[in-house]
């Protein structure tokens, strides 16, 4: 699937020192897709950055024909956001 990146996403990647390739990996094969607010779905995967375990959360408006990536961030609060089956 082809995604459109908002200007904000590029700013956040730079500010948070996250590689674009990591974002693209999560978008292509997320471990989980979690409904968030309104038309936003969170694509998330557990990743390792600098030897530490994080959850990379990518907020996507996937209700449009070319889904828009709204923002991206990492968190170490896996237990807060990870959905167990």
């Amino acid at each position: 699937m082809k995604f459109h990146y908002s200007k904000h996403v590029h700013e956040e990647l730079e500010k948070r020192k996250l590689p674009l390739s990591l974002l693209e990996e999560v978008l292509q094969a997320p471990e989980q897709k979690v409904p968030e607010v309104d038309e936003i779905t969170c694509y998330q995967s557990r990743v390792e950055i600098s030897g530490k375990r994080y959850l990379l959360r990518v907020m996507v408006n996937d209700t449009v024909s070319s889904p828009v990536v709204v923002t991206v961030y990492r968190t170490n609060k896996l237990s807060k956001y990870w959905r167990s089956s």
Side-chain angles (χ1 to χ4, degrees), residues 1-6 9-10 20 23-30 33 41-43 58-70:
M1 185 181 309
K2 181 105 170 136
F3 292 89
H4 173 76
Y5 302 125
S6 69
V9 169
H10 292 289
L20 179 60
L23 166 68
E24 291 172 342
E25 285 177 29
V26 172
L27 289 173
Q28 295 308 315
K33 288 185 182 180
T41 301
C42 177
Y43 290 48
V58 183
M59 301 301 167
V60 179
N61 179 346
D62 55 7
T63 64
V64 292
S65 60
S66 181
V68 178
V69 180
V70 179

Side-chain angles (χ1 to χ4, degrees), residues 23-85:
L23 166 68
E24 291 172 342
E25 285 177 29
V26 172
L27 289 173
Q28 295 308 315
E31 288 185 271
Q32 293 184 338
K33 288 185 182 180
V34 180
E36 290 292 324
V37 295
D38 299 325
E39 301 166 341
I40 305 298
T41 301
C42 177
Y43 290 48
Q44 60 185 22
S45 292
R46 295 166 289 193
V47 298
E48 190 170 306
I49 301 171
S50 300
K52 294 183 181 176
R53 193 114 165 124
Y54 293 97
L55 186 63
L56 190 67
R57 306 191 81 223
V58 183
M59 301 301 167
V60 179
N61 179 346
D62 55 7
T63 64
V64 292
S65 60
S66 181
V68 178
V69 180
V70 179
T71 195
V72 58
Y73 67 95
R74 69 179 182 196
T75 180
N76 60 3
K77 297 179 180 177
L78 278 83
S79 61
K80 179 177 179 177
Y81 296 110
W82 192 255
R83 304 291 185 253
S84 300
S85 300

